[in-house]
Every structure is written in structure tokens, then in C-alpha cells.
Amino acid sequence: MSETLILARRNLEHVRQIPEKLIDVTLQPLMFVLLFAFVFGGVIAVPNGDYKEYLIGGILVQTLAFGLMGPGVAIATDLGEGMIDRLRSLPIRRSSYLTGHILAEFAATILAIVVLSGAGLLVGWGIESSVPEAIGAYALLGLFAFAMIWLGTLIGTVARSTDVVTGIAFMTVFPLTFVSNAFVPTDSLPDGLRQVAEWNPISCVVAAVRELFGNPTAVPHDAAWPLQHPVVASIGWCVLILVVVVPMTVRAFNRRTTD
Amino acid sequence: MYENLNDNCTDAGIKAEGLGKRFGDFTALEDLDLVVPKGSVLGLLGHNGAGKTTTIRILTTLSVPSTGSATVAGYDVVKQGGEVRKRIGVAGQSATVDGLLTGRANLEMVGRLYGMSKREAAERADELLTRLGLTDAADKLVKEYSGGMRRRADLAATLVSTPPVLFLDEPTTGLDPASRNDLWDVLREQVSEGVTLLLTTQYLEEADRLADEIVVLDHGKVAAAGSPDQLKQRVGGDRIEITLADPADAGPAAEALAGFAENEVHSDPAASLVTAPVRAGTRLVEVVRSLDAAGIDVTDVHRRDATLDDVFLSITSAPKVEVHS
Ligand SMILES: Nc1ncnc2c1ncn2[C@@H]1O[C@H](COP(=O)(O)OP(=O)(O)OP(=O)(O)O)[C@@H](O)[C@H]1O
Ligand SMILES: [Mg+2]
């Protein structure tokens, strides 16, 4: 355990040296909040509520989905340099590197969630539910973030360079978050896209977070099953991702670091 | 916290038997036998791609051998990797320090990972920064270091736990002569304290000065092994070396020297240098006369002892770089 903490501290120290590393989990989502709240806020109508209340759940989840980029780039960088050889020649468990990495990335994620919640409160978002439900919302965000960090770590471990990681992240996360309910209700989407959006795992996590915060969800009555039961479905998605991705990542990491 | 790390076996240094490594169809290392007694130094020589790094990676548990077995400090590198890692310090060929940490933070982190307390790790870091001349740069990020400073930081990280067995892959590449001498002192000091050292090097002078035993690798196979003196004897005693006024004379000069040589004459037109291992009793004046008779203008003629360079040239089959003038 202490090895994990020492290695996690190393990643956090990198952030202290290069604070720009946190842009994608702080300034970038803040920009999205302002952009959507004030540019589209007046145009997009949300049944039973205000667009700003609707928006924050979407941006939280989008940010955490993009959060797969940081861990991916970090591990691809380490694997590309000699540093990993140094660590592997030390008498520590090989898993410590991975656990330290995940822990440090999780800390960055918590920062993102705090910053975004604060920004949300400033633009008029609020938690309208009970305390247990709000805790549930944050727990779900944490679980989703955890799954995304592992997914990013897998991509970074398999990828041969950091550019590949950012490439894959943009090509998958952008379409997935835009063809979803993150920014607009699904029934405003044309047929075809709407079905994709309703089955999109991002949509159901977003809907679950909105539901748990007591924000308007704008889920149409005839929405697909996952959107009708977003909390259960989201937990299912996250667990599924973790069950598949964690062993794959460990195996890929062991393979990349054995020759 | 500090266990006795020398307990396993009294003669335990490094041993390898029939060690081999294949990458796909390519054999990078074949049938390597090594014995490095505790407290001695083995120099691993060889051209680029000869298999030096491959050997170090296997012995330091970073790579799994395809054939054979090896023990380090008495522990099997495959089956007891954890025990081996407790007892070794490794400096890889490319510096393995974290560029985004300061030199001090790198050493402290490594110390902590060895199980030292915060204070112990800080003290050890200070000690090593001083020892390797990095005090002024201690609190700068390693990515801002020069190549040689980075190299020294890497060596410091290698020494953090005072390991009984050290593996250094080309430790002085990129160091200026003063730093190189300092490093040699550090290494000699370590060895005098009973540390076993395996180092690879491209500098034959380094192997000559530091190593008790030398193994020369050639395309993954052992081409020669022995003490520096034994190896020098093997390639014959004296050399006559002439420096030409005109590099174009290299061919005729080699012919003229062939008469005195007991082995292949070596010419390096780029340096205007022709070298021949000469038969015992050859007189310098005869050599000069025959060069004169052939009309070859020389700026220098001298006799010298065989060096490891000669050993290296005579036994490795690395493709020689042809220089046309
Ligand atoms: N992971 C790998 N996959 C495939 N081939 C490899 C791998 N590592 C090394 N090799 C090959 O094995 C051979 C030996 O490499 P090695 O790094 O041991 O050489 P070296 O003696 O250290 O050379 P240098 O002096 O250039 O450092 C080389 O031909 C190299 O291309
Ligand atoms: Mg090498």
C-alpha cells in the first residue's frame, strides 16, 4: 500500500511541476459550462426545468469520459521512457505501479468533480434531491470515472505513443458524448441518432446523475430501457467495463513490460 | 529494516550458464557462461548489437531468458526475481530517472520505494548528490539536466540502497573526462567494499582500468574471455604503429609492414595510421628503412604494447567501416 502511495505522489508531483496537465479536467470543462449555459441556454428548451440545471450532469459525465485521456497519456509516456525499467528493477510489487497510477488519476478526477460542481452552483445549477441521493450521484460519478481511468490506462498501455491515445480519445469520446443526452434531450434528435443516443452508455450515466441530483432528466416516455432505468443501467455499464477492462489492462501491462 | 542481504551464499556474485535470448527468429544472445565472484568486476565488451544490454536485462530480471539460467547474489533470476531485485542496483543504457521530478525527489522516491523512512531517504539522497557532484542541481528538474548530469543522477539512483551487486550499462557514455574519472573512483570504492560489478562499455580503456575479467561478445556469442592481460597476450605482444604523411600511402605502407608482421596489418586511412603486430626482435630501424625504400613518407613511427583496442579489432567481426578518401 505504501508503495502505491509513493508512486501516486510521483504523478501528483508531475502535476505540481506542470499544472497545465490539469487543463483538461478544469479549465476545459469550465469553458463548456459557460459556452453551453450562455450560448445555447436560451435556445434549448428542457421540459420541467431550466437548461442550466440540465446541463451540469451532462458536462460532469463528459469531463469524466474525457478523463480517460490523462491516464492514457501518462502511462504511454512512462512505458515509452526508461523510467518503467527503473521501477521494475526495484523490490516492489509490479502491481504498485498500476495502482499508484490509478490512484493519482482518481485524485485528479475528484478535483474535476469539485470544480465543476462549484461552477454549476455559480451558473444556477443545484442539488434538488436528498442527501443520500446526492451522495449516490457522486458515488456513481466516481464509479464511472474509475471505469474511464482504467479504459484510458488500457488504451495507453496498448498504444505505442501518446498521440495515438489522444487520437483514440477524441475519435471515440467526442461522438459518444455529442450523440447522447449530455447537451440536448434525445427526443430532439432525428430518428436513427435518437436510438443511438438512447442506447449510448453515456446517456444513461448522464440521466442517472440528473435523476440522483433531482435535476430535470428530460427522458422521453418512450425512451429505450436503459434510459428508463438509468441508475441500474449505469451501474451495470460501469461494472461491465471494469470486469472486461481491468484484466485486459493488467495483462497488457505485463506483456508490455516483459521481454 | 536492513536485512542482511549477503546471507545466501558466500561466493555469491553473478553466475550464468548457457544463457540465451531469442527475439522471434533472431538470436540476440547465445550460450553465455559467466562467473563473477563477489567483490570483482566483469567488463562486458562488444560492438553495437552484440547483446550486452540483453545480458544485463536478463540478469536484472527485466527480461526472461529463452535458454539457460543465472543467479545473482545466489538467487535465480527467473524463479526468485524478488530476492534478486532486493540486492541489485541497475543503471540502464538510457538514463532511467523521472524528468519531471528534481534530482533530489528522484532519489528520495527510490529510497522510499526501498522501504526507507522519509528521513533516511532524504539523508541518503543528500549523500549521493554530494558524492556524484550534483549538489548544485539537486533541486532542478531532471529534464533540465545535461546528458552527463542525467547520467550521474541515474547512477545515484542505482546506489541508493547500497546494493551488493551492481549492473551498469555503459555508465560513462556521455560523461566528460573529469566526471568519468570521478565515477571510476566511486565504482572502485564500491568494489573495495565488496560490491560485485558488471559493466558494459565501449571504452576499452575503462574495461582495462576497472575490470578483473573481460568477456567480449560478438553477435550474441562469447568471442573471448579472460583478464585484460591475458587477452592482450592472446593477440600478440608489441605493435608498430606508423603515421603517414599522405593517407593515400596506406596500401603500400601495409605491404611494407607485412614483412615484419606476425599477423594481419591494420590500416586506418582516415587517421593516416597503419598498425602491425610485429614479430619479437623486429628492430624499428629496419622498419623505417623498408618504408623509406618503398618511398613512403611517414611523420611518426613507434613501437607500443598491445591494447584492448587491438584485442577488440582482432576478435570481433563487426562490419568494419570502410573510409574512402
Ligand atoms: N526487444 C527486442 N526485440 C527484438 N530485438 C531486440 C530486442 N532487444 C534487443 N534486440 C536485438 O538484440 C540484439 C542485441 O541487442 P543489445 O541491446 O543487447 O545490444 P548491445 O550490445 O547492448 O548494443 P549497444 O552497444 O548498441 O547498446 C540487437 O540486434 C537488437 O536489435
Ligand atoms: Mg546496449
Side-chain angles (χ1 to χ4, degrees):
Chain A
M1 192 58 207
S2 65
E3 290 166 5
T4 300
L5 291 177
I6 295 164
L7 288 168
R9 246 197 65 185
R10 161 178 175 255
N11 292 41
L12 296 178
E13 187 67 19
H14 289 174
V15 171
R16 216 173 60 100
Q17 297 298 346
I18 308 187
E20 304 90 279
K21 274 179 185 279
L22 286 180
I23 285 183
D24 58 337
V25 287
T26 52
L27 291 183
Q28 201 170 297
L30 280 183
M31 180 195 78
F32 271 109
V33 170
L34 296 178
L35 225 80
F36 278 89
F38 295 111
V39 178
F40 298 119
V43 199
I44 302 170
V46 177
N48 321 316
D50 176 66
Y51 184 67
K52 284 163 189 151
E53 289 177 65
Y54 177 81
L55 175 68
I56 297 304
I59 290 191
L60 272 167
V61 173
Q62 187 206 35
T63 303
L64 300 183
F66 269 114
L68 62 78
M69 206 145 68
V73 169
I75 199 164
T77 308
D78 273 344
L79 285 171
E81 287 170 0
M83 191 59 204
I84 203 91
D85 278 344
R86 158 76 55 210
L87 297 177
R88 285 183 54 217
S89 72
L90 299 177
I92 56 175
R93 278 185 311 280
R94 204 199 277 207
S95 58
S96 309
Y97 172 80
L98 273 183
T99 48
H101 160 87
I102 301 278
L103 186 67
E105 296 294 342
F106 199 71
T109 297
I110 290 175
L111 176 69
I113 295 176
V114 170
V115 168
L116 275 178
S117 301
L121 291 173
L122 287 180
V123 299
W125 168 80
I127 299 174
E128 315 294 339
S129 60
S130 65
V131 172
E133 277 174 311
I135 292 175
Y138 281 114
L140 180 62
L141 285 169
L143 178 67
F144 178 69
F146 193 58
M148 289 300 112
I149 289 169
W150 274 102
L151 190 59
T153 304
L154 175 64
I155 297 171
T157 307
V158 176
R160 295 272 145 193
S161 83
T162 56
D163 297 341
V164 177
V165 177
T166 42
I168 293 178
F170 272 102
M171 271 165 41
T172 55
V173 177
F174 248 115
L176 274 176
T177 51
F178 279 94
V179 185
S180 80
N181 61 358
F183 304 108
V184 291
T186 52
D187 53 4
S188 68
L189 293 170
D191 244 13
L193 273 190
R194 177 181 166 181
Q195 279 71 27
V196 174
E198 291 190 351
W199 286 96
N200 182 346
I202 299 280
S203 297
C204 95
V205 180
V206 172
V209 169
R210 285 177 182 146
E211 187 175 304
L212 289 168
F213 278 137
N215 298 143
T217 57
V219 171
H221 298 296
D222 56 346
W225 185 88
L227 270 198
Q228 306 274 7
H229 309 84
V231 176
V232 179
S234 313
I235 295 174
W237 270 115
C238 292
V239 170
L240 181 70
I241 293 174
L242 286 169
V243 165
V244 174
V245 167
V246 173
M248 272 175 82
T249 309
V250 172
R251 215 168 324 129
F253 181 75
N254 286 343
R255 220 182 10 245
R256 267 299 293 271
T257 55
T258 308
D259 55 26
Chain B
M1 188 213 72
Y2 290 106
E3 309 161 45
N4 179 5
L5 297 180
N6 291 312
D7 50 0
N8 197 37
C9 196
T10 42
D11 65 339
I14 305 165
K15 277 192 203 127
E17 264 180 39
L19 216 54
K21 180 73 184 176
R22 278 188 301 276
F23 294 106
D25 287 342
F26 178 76
T27 304
L29 186 68
E30 202 175 338
D31 208 16
L32 173 71
D33 296 324
L34 281 182
V35 180
V36 192
K38 182 174 177 303
S40 72
V41 183
L42 177 87
L44 205 52
L45 302 182
H47 56 84
N48 292 138
K52 304 180 296 293
T53 299
T54 303
T55 306
I56 290 208
R57 289 182 67 83
I58 293 174
L59 293 174
T60 54
T61 78
L62 295 179
S63 178
V64 183
S66 312
T67 61
S69 62
T71 61
V72 169
Y75 292 94
D76 190 287
V77 294
V78 178
K79 294 182 206 111
Q80 297 167 299
E83 295 300 323
V84 171
R85 285 190 285 274
K86 280 187 200 163
R87 292 162 176 83
I88 59 173
V90 191
Q93 187 164 2
S94 48
T96 50
V97 270
D98 191 331
L100 292 180
L101 297 181
T102 64
R104 188 191 303 279
N106 262 289
L107 299 185
E108 286 179 356
M109 178 185 72
V110 171
R112 299 278 284 133
L113 287 171
Y114 272 110
M116 295 179 187
S117 71
K118 266 209 172 85
R119 222 196 42 181
E120 279 175 316
E123 279 171 8
R124 184 68 181 144
D126 255 343
E127 207 176 306
L128 287 165
L129 288 165
T130 311
R131 189 71 190 85
L132 286 150
L134 288 170
T135 331
D136 292 339
D139 298 309
K140 271 211 300 194
L141 289 189
V142 166
K143 70 173 170 139
E144 288 157 16
Y145 281 19
S146 73
M149 286 158 72
R150 192 184 270 253
R151 200 73 218 154
R152 280 182 277 152
D154 196 35
L155 283 154
T158 302
L159 297 174
V160 165
S161 67
T162 40
V165 185
L166 282 178
F167 294 89
L168 309 178
D169 200 352
E170 304 196 14
T172 54
T173 300
L175 294 190
D176 59 40
S179 314
R180 183 173 304 170
N181 273 315
D182 283 348
L183 184 82
W184 285 348
D185 287 342
V186 173
L187 295 182
R188 281 200 201 93
E189 189 182 287
Q190 295 280 322
V191 172
S192 72
E193 287 162 13
V195 167
T196 311
L197 169 62
L198 189 156
L199 85 160
T200 75
T201 177
Q202 299 284 354
Y203 302 107
L204 300 161
E205 186 200 353
E206 182 164 282
D208 208 356
R209 291 217 192 169
L210 292 177
D212 301 306
E213 286 284 319
I214 287 175
V215 167
V216 183
L217 287 177
D218 183 21
H219 290 101
K221 296 193 199 89
V222 176
S227 69
D229 286 339
Q230 282 168 343
L231 290 178
K232 285 181 220 164
Q233 270 165 22
R234 255 188 58 171
V235 293
D238 287 1
R239 293 288 186 277
I240 282 184
E241 198 163 78
I242 61 175
T243 311
L244 300 165
D246 178 3
D249 282 340
E255 266 168 50
L257 280 183
F260 307 95
E262 61 172 6
N263 225 321
E264 201 182 329
V265 178
H266 209 86
S267 56
D268 179 358
S272 306
L273 215 62
V274 179
T275 313
V278 289
R279 282 192 297 273
T282 302
R283 291 163 58 211
L284 208 52
V285 63
E286 293 170 34
V287 176
V288 176
R289 268 193 210 121
S290 79
L291 286 169
D292 197 35
I296 296 162
D297 191 9
V298 296
T299 55
D300 185 47
V301 178
H302 68 271
R303 182 194 290 263
R304 62 168 173 78
D305 290 338
T307 64
L308 279 179
D309 284 285
D310 302 315
V311 176
F312 203 66
L313 285 172
S314 75
I315 57 184
T316 66
S317 54
K320 296 194 179 76
V321 183
E322 292 288 331
V323 183
H324 301 279
S325 43

